[in-house]
Amino acid sequence: MDMRRLGKTGLSIAPIVLGGNVFSWTADEKTSFDILDAFFDAGFNTIDTADVYGAWVPGNKGGESEEIIGKWLKRGKVSRHKAVVVTKVGSDMGQGKTLKETYILKAVEDSLRRLQTDYIDLYLSHWPDENTPYEETLGAFAKLKQQGKIRAIGCSNLDATQLQASFDAAERAGVPRYDVIQPEYNLYARASFEGPLADLCVKEDIGVITYFSLAAGFLSGKYRTKADTEGRAREGRVAQYLDDKGLRILAALDKVVAETGAKPAEIALAWLLRKKGVTAPIASATSLSQLESLTKSVTLSLSDDAMALLDRAGAA
């Protein structure tokens, strides 16, 4: 497996990151363990989760995804140092979205306990917090790095202006900056990353791990009409893509499927892997067959013509 350098973090990750958002939701504990085993057996090494993942499932309180990953790590089938664990802080766990220092220092202990580990490889601020200065948030992360509780830091959902402001704040305060960003980016949703943010990430050598890489499963090609989404766990999220633009993208994917024999999801991820600035997309799976398909994207080489066709279909 060819590993990719994750910005200036010192971490090396495989080209696909496994999304833990489905653990305890559309994948129960046993299925999650099977998927994690197969993912690492295939040579991949990075898991993405967040403290809030699982909270939207009736009866859950949040933290369930981290708990499943922690139980899997505890089994010891994969040595802890061979797994890159990414989690996030700042989502609403009952206190509202916040990146206050006091909250981060408490929340990291909760995540470490659920993950059953003494360090987190990559800790991300999940959302912007206009009520907390970057200096305060980054100062909290600096303390955790000094204590050895986290190895690297990053952010999610910042635009180019916000990311640059965080760099400026880190320099003023003399603390480590964000070295990774996790933006929403896929064939359908492109505007928030392409352009100023992608350019800044390349200029500053920022690692980029994309989320919603398959547009909540829409880019798998199995949702073609609103009827296809009815009764599905992702119904509300997928339905938004069923417009003219979405159908153009599906048609373009179908053409590339005919040319390559690959599945739509594999093509959508292979497209991301060729985009400027992207280190690795996050993709989740709820079955071993889905996982096998996702991992094939790493060896899929799209032609320039196929890339151009997909680019045109997803243009605004």
Side-chain angles (χ1 to χ4, degrees):
M1 180 68 64
D2 290 332
M3 297 293 169
R4 293 186 167 196
R5 191 177 142 274
L6 187 60
K8 295 182 177 180
T9 63
L11 301 172
S12 293
I13 66 172
I16 298 291
V17 173
L18 184 64
N21 60 318
V22 297
F23 298 161
S24 83
W25 177 31
T26 50
D28 61 18
E29 184 174 300
K30 181 185 182 303
T31 302
S32 301
F33 279 18
D34 290 344
I35 289 168
L36 284 161
D37 285 345
F39 185 72
F40 278 80
D41 285 345
F44 297 86
N45 71 331
T46 307
I47 319 161
D48 175 83
T49 186
D51 54 7
V52 76
Y53 286 176
W56 52 80
V57 180
N60 284 3
K61 61 186 183 304
E64 287 78 10
S65 172
E66 287 184 330
E67 287 175 351
I68 286 176
I69 293 168
K71 290 177 183 178
W72 178 80
L73 287 170
K74 194 68 174 178
R75 290 194 321 170
K77 179 174 179 179
V78 172
S79 299
R80 175 64 186 90
H81 72 278
K82 292 185 178 179
V84 177
V85 178
V86 183
T87 194
K88 310 177 201 66
V89 63
S91 283
D92 188 357
M93 295 281 283
Q95 77 297 318
K97 293 179 180 179
T98 181
L99 291 173
K100 296 287 187 188
E101 177 178 357
T102 53
Y103 179 73
I104 290 172
L105 297 182
K106 175 184 179 298
V108 75
E109 299 297 338
D110 293 336
S111 286
L112 288 168
R113 173 178 49 78
R114 288 188 291 258
L115 289 165
Q116 300 192 52
T117 184
D118 55 4
Y119 69 94
I120 292 163
D121 297 280
L122 176 59
Y123 204 36
L124 305 180
S125 59
H126 207 159
W127 300 97
D129 177 10
E130 61 184 17
N131 298 313
T132 305
Y134 291 115
E135 289 90 340
E136 178 178 343
T137 301
L138 293 168
F141 284 146
K143 288 181 180 179
L144 295 176
K145 285 189 75 173
Q146 290 166 359
Q147 294 167 3
K149 292 178 180 178
I150 60 177
R151 295 177 64 193
I153 64 171
C155 56
S156 185
N157 298 300
L158 296 190
D159 62 25
T161 300
Q162 292 168 323
L163 185 58
Q164 182 61 60
S166 77
F167 294 158
D168 297 341
E171 186 172 0
R172 286 194 303 269
V175 294
R177 69 171 194 176
Y178 291 133
D179 280 321
V180 177
I181 191 166
Q182 194 175 104
E184 178 180 2
Y185 187 41
N186 56 56
L187 267 168
Y188 186 102
R190 293 167 53 181
S192 62
F193 180 67
E194 291 181 357
L197 182 56
D199 292 342
L200 181 60
C201 290
V202 171
K203 175 175 174 283
E204 295 290 340
D205 194 12
I206 301 299
V208 177
I209 301 173
T210 63
Y211 76 86
F212 277 7
S213 306
L214 294 176
F218 172 72
L219 296 173
S220 69
K222 63 183 177 183
Y223 304 107
R224 304 278 175 157
T225 67
K226 292 204 184 304
D228 294 334
T229 70
E230 291 174 1
R232 299 295 188 101
R234 297 173 180 264
E235 178 179 354
R237 294 181 182 178
V238 174
Q240 65 182 306
Y241 302 113
L242 288 168
D243 56 12
D244 289 344
K245 177 179 176 179
L247 295 177
R248 282 201 313 272
I249 292 170
L250 291 181
L253 283 170
D254 288 342
K255 288 183 180 179
V256 182
V257 166
E259 294 170 3
T260 63
K263 294 181 179 179
E266 297 162 16
I267 295 163
L269 293 174
W271 177 85
L272 277 171
L273 285 167
R274 281 196 57 183
K275 299 306 285 185
K276 182 179 77 170
V278 173
T279 309
I282 298 168
S284 56
T286 57
S287 68
L288 293 178
S289 60
Q290 282 185 8
L291 179 67
E292 182 182 5
S293 177
L294 297 181
T295 58
K296 287 180 180 177
S297 62
V298 174
T299 56
L300 176 60
S301 179
L302 296 180
S303 68
D304 290 343
D305 287 345
M307 289 293 294
L309 174 69
L310 295 166
D311 282 341
R312 289 194 300 272

PDB file of all heavy atoms in Angstrom, residues 214-223 234 238 241:
ATOM      1  N   LEU A 214     -18.719  10.381  -0.749  1.00  0.00           N
ATOM      2  CA  LEU A 214     -19.686   9.732  -1.643  1.00  0.00           C
ATOM      3  C   LEU A 214     -21.069  10.359  -1.515  1.00  0.00           C
ATOM      4  O   LEU A 214     -22.068   9.748  -1.878  1.00  0.00           O
ATOM      5  CB  LEU A 214     -19.751   8.227  -1.339  1.00  0.00           C
ATOM      6  CG  LEU A 214     -18.476   7.449  -1.650  1.00  0.00           C
ATOM      7  CD1 LEU A 214     -18.613   5.995  -1.217  1.00  0.00           C
ATOM      8  CD2 LEU A 214     -18.146   7.524  -3.145  1.00  0.00           C
ATOM      9  N   ALA A 215     -21.111  11.604  -1.002  1.00  0.00           N
ATOM     10  CA  ALA A 215     -22.376  12.336  -0.893  1.00  0.00           C
ATOM     11  C   ALA A 215     -23.455  11.493  -0.203  1.00  0.00           C
ATOM     12  O   ALA A 215     -24.542  11.267  -0.748  1.00  0.00           O
ATOM     13  CB  ALA A 215     -22.851  12.810  -2.265  1.00  0.00           C
ATOM     14  N   ALA A 216     -23.095  11.015   1.010  1.00  0.00           N
ATOM     15  CA  ALA A 216     -24.023  10.211   1.827  1.00  0.00           C
ATOM     16  C   ALA A 216     -24.526   8.955   1.100  1.00  0.00           C
ATOM     17  O   ALA A 216     -25.610   8.463   1.374  1.00  0.00           O
ATOM     18  CB  ALA A 216     -25.207  11.064   2.288  1.00  0.00           C
ATOM     19  N   GLY A 217     -23.714   8.452   0.182  1.00  0.00           N
ATOM     20  CA  GLY A 217     -24.078   7.236  -0.545  1.00  0.00           C
ATOM     21  C   GLY A 217     -24.705   7.489  -1.902  1.00  0.00           C
ATOM     22  O   GLY A 217     -24.868   6.548  -2.700  1.00  0.00           O
ATOM     23  N   PHE A 218     -25.032   8.748  -2.206  1.00  0.00           N
ATOM     24  CA  PHE A 218     -25.638   9.060  -3.501  1.00  0.00           C
ATOM     25  C   PHE A 218     -24.739   8.645  -4.664  1.00  0.00           C
ATOM     26  O   PHE A 218     -25.209   8.123  -5.687  1.00  0.00           O
ATOM     27  CB  PHE A 218     -25.943  10.557  -3.588  1.00  0.00           C
ATOM     28  CG  PHE A 218     -26.386  11.013  -4.944  1.00  0.00           C
ATOM     29  CD1 PHE A 218     -27.642  10.673  -5.424  1.00  0.00           C
ATOM     30  CD2 PHE A 218     -25.543  11.758  -5.761  1.00  0.00           C
ATOM     31  CE1 PHE A 218     -28.060  11.081  -6.694  1.00  0.00           C
ATOM     32  CE2 PHE A 218     -25.943  12.168  -7.020  1.00  0.00           C
ATOM     33  CZ  PHE A 218     -27.210  11.824  -7.482  1.00  0.00           C
ATOM     34  N   LEU A 219     -23.428   8.837  -4.510  1.00  0.00           N
ATOM     35  CA  LEU A 219     -22.496   8.545  -5.599  1.00  0.00           C
ATOM     36  C   LEU A 219     -22.209   7.058  -5.754  1.00  0.00           C
ATOM     37  O   LEU A 219     -21.428   6.656  -6.623  1.00  0.00           O
ATOM     38  CB  LEU A 219     -21.195   9.333  -5.403  1.00  0.00           C
ATOM     39  CG  LEU A 219     -21.377  10.859  -5.465  1.00  0.00           C
ATOM     40  CD1 LEU A 219     -20.088  11.576  -5.095  1.00  0.00           C
ATOM     41  CD2 LEU A 219     -21.865  11.304  -6.846  1.00  0.00           C
ATOM     42  N   SER A 220     -22.858   6.235  -4.941  1.00  0.00           N
ATOM     43  CA  SER A 220     -22.788   4.781  -5.163  1.00  0.00           C
ATOM     44  C   SER A 220     -23.635   4.384  -6.362  1.00  0.00           C
ATOM     45  O   SER A 220     -23.503   3.282  -6.894  1.00  0.00           O
ATOM     46  CB  SER A 220     -23.274   4.029  -3.926  1.00  0.00           C
ATOM     47  OG  SER A 220     -24.678   4.215  -3.750  1.00  0.00           O
ATOM     48  N   GLY A 221     -24.539   5.283  -6.774  1.00  0.00           N
ATOM     49  CA  GLY A 221     -25.388   5.027  -7.932  1.00  0.00           C
ATOM     50  C   GLY A 221     -26.648   4.247  -7.633  1.00  0.00           C
ATOM     51  O   GLY A 221     -27.453   3.991  -8.540  1.00  0.00           O
ATOM     52  N   LYS A 222     -26.862   3.876  -6.363  1.00  0.00           N
ATOM     53  CA  LYS A 222     -28.040   3.047  -6.068  1.00  0.00           C
ATOM     54  C   LYS A 222     -29.292   3.871  -5.797  1.00  0.00           C
ATOM     55  O   LYS A 222     -30.378   3.312  -5.690  1.00  0.00           O
ATOM     56  CB  LYS A 222     -27.756   2.112  -4.893  1.00  0.00           C
ATOM     57  CG  LYS A 222     -27.468   2.795  -3.573  1.00  0.00           C
ATOM     58  CD  LYS A 222     -27.121   1.743  -2.509  1.00  0.00           C
ATOM     59  CE  LYS A 222     -26.753   2.382  -1.181  1.00  0.00           C
ATOM     60  NZ  LYS A 222     -26.354   1.381  -0.171  1.00  0.00           N
ATOM     61  N   TYR A 223     -29.148   5.185  -5.702  1.00  0.00           N
ATOM     62  CA  TYR A 223     -30.306   6.065  -5.497  1.00  0.00           C
ATOM     63  C   TYR A 223     -30.529   6.878  -6.762  1.00  0.00           C
ATOM     64  O   TYR A 223     -29.776   7.815  -7.051  1.00  0.00           O
ATOM     65  CB  TYR A 223     -30.071   6.997  -4.306  1.00  0.00           C
ATOM     66  CG  TYR A 223     -29.741   6.283  -3.021  1.00  0.00           C
ATOM     67  CD1 TYR A 223     -28.431   6.312  -2.509  1.00  0.00           C
ATOM     68  CD2 TYR A 223     -30.705   5.593  -2.299  1.00  0.00           C
ATOM     69  CE1 TYR A 223     -28.118   5.663  -1.325  1.00  0.00           C
ATOM     70  CE2 TYR A 223     -30.393   4.938  -1.112  1.00  0.00           C
ATOM     71  CZ  TYR A 223     -29.103   4.982  -0.636  1.00  0.00           C
ATOM     72  OH  TYR A 223     -28.790   4.338   0.547  1.00  0.00           O
ATOM     73  N   ARG A 234     -30.469   6.936   5.292  1.00  0.00           N
ATOM     74  CA  ARG A 234     -29.915   8.179   4.738  1.00  0.00           C
ATOM     75  C   ARG A 234     -30.915   8.935   3.873  1.00  0.00           C
ATOM     76  O   ARG A 234     -30.527   9.810   3.100  1.00  0.00           O
ATOM     77  CB  ARG A 234     -28.663   7.855   3.904  1.00  0.00           C
ATOM     78  CG  ARG A 234     -27.527   7.241   4.717  1.00  0.00           C
ATOM     79  CD  ARG A 234     -26.405   6.787   3.816  1.00  0.00           C
ATOM     80  NE  ARG A 234     -25.303   6.195   4.544  1.00  0.00           N
ATOM     81  CZ  ARG A 234     -24.194   6.831   4.928  1.00  0.00           C
ATOM     82  NH1 ARG A 234     -24.069   8.115   4.650  1.00  0.00           N
ATOM     83  NH2 ARG A 234     -23.241   6.209   5.583  1.00  0.00           N
ATOM     84  N   VAL A 238     -29.760  11.931   1.250  1.00  0.00           N
ATOM     85  CA  VAL A 238     -29.575  11.588  -0.160  1.00  0.00           C
ATOM     86  C   VAL A 238     -30.538  12.337  -1.069  1.00  0.00           C
ATOM     87  O   VAL A 238     -30.181  12.733  -2.190  1.00  0.00           O
ATOM     88  CB  VAL A 238     -29.725  10.057  -0.360  1.00  0.00           C
ATOM     89  CG1 VAL A 238     -29.688   9.701  -1.836  1.00  0.00           C
ATOM     90  CG2 VAL A 238     -28.621   9.315   0.378  1.00  0.00           C
ATOM     91  N   TYR A 241     -29.697  15.400  -3.321  1.00  0.00           N
ATOM     92  CA  TYR A 241     -28.854  15.306  -4.515  1.00  0.00           C
ATOM     93  C   TYR A 241     -29.635  14.919  -5.772  1.00  0.00           C
ATOM     94  O   TYR A 241     -29.077  14.928  -6.877  1.00  0.00           O
ATOM     95  CB  TYR A 241     -27.750  14.272  -4.286  1.00  0.00           C
ATOM     96  CG  TYR A 241     -26.862  14.572  -3.105  1.00  0.00           C
ATOM     97  CD1 TYR A 241     -26.873  13.759  -1.979  1.00  0.00           C
ATOM     98  CD2 TYR A 241     -26.007  15.668  -3.110  1.00  0.00           C
ATOM     99  CE1 TYR A 241     -26.061  14.027  -0.885  1.00  0.00           C
ATOM    100  CE2 TYR A 241     -25.187  15.950  -2.017  1.00  0.00           C
ATOM    101  CZ  TYR A 241     -25.224  15.121  -0.907  1.00  0.00           C
ATOM    102  OH  TYR A 241     -24.421  15.389   0.172  1.00  0.00           O
TER     103      TYR A 241
END
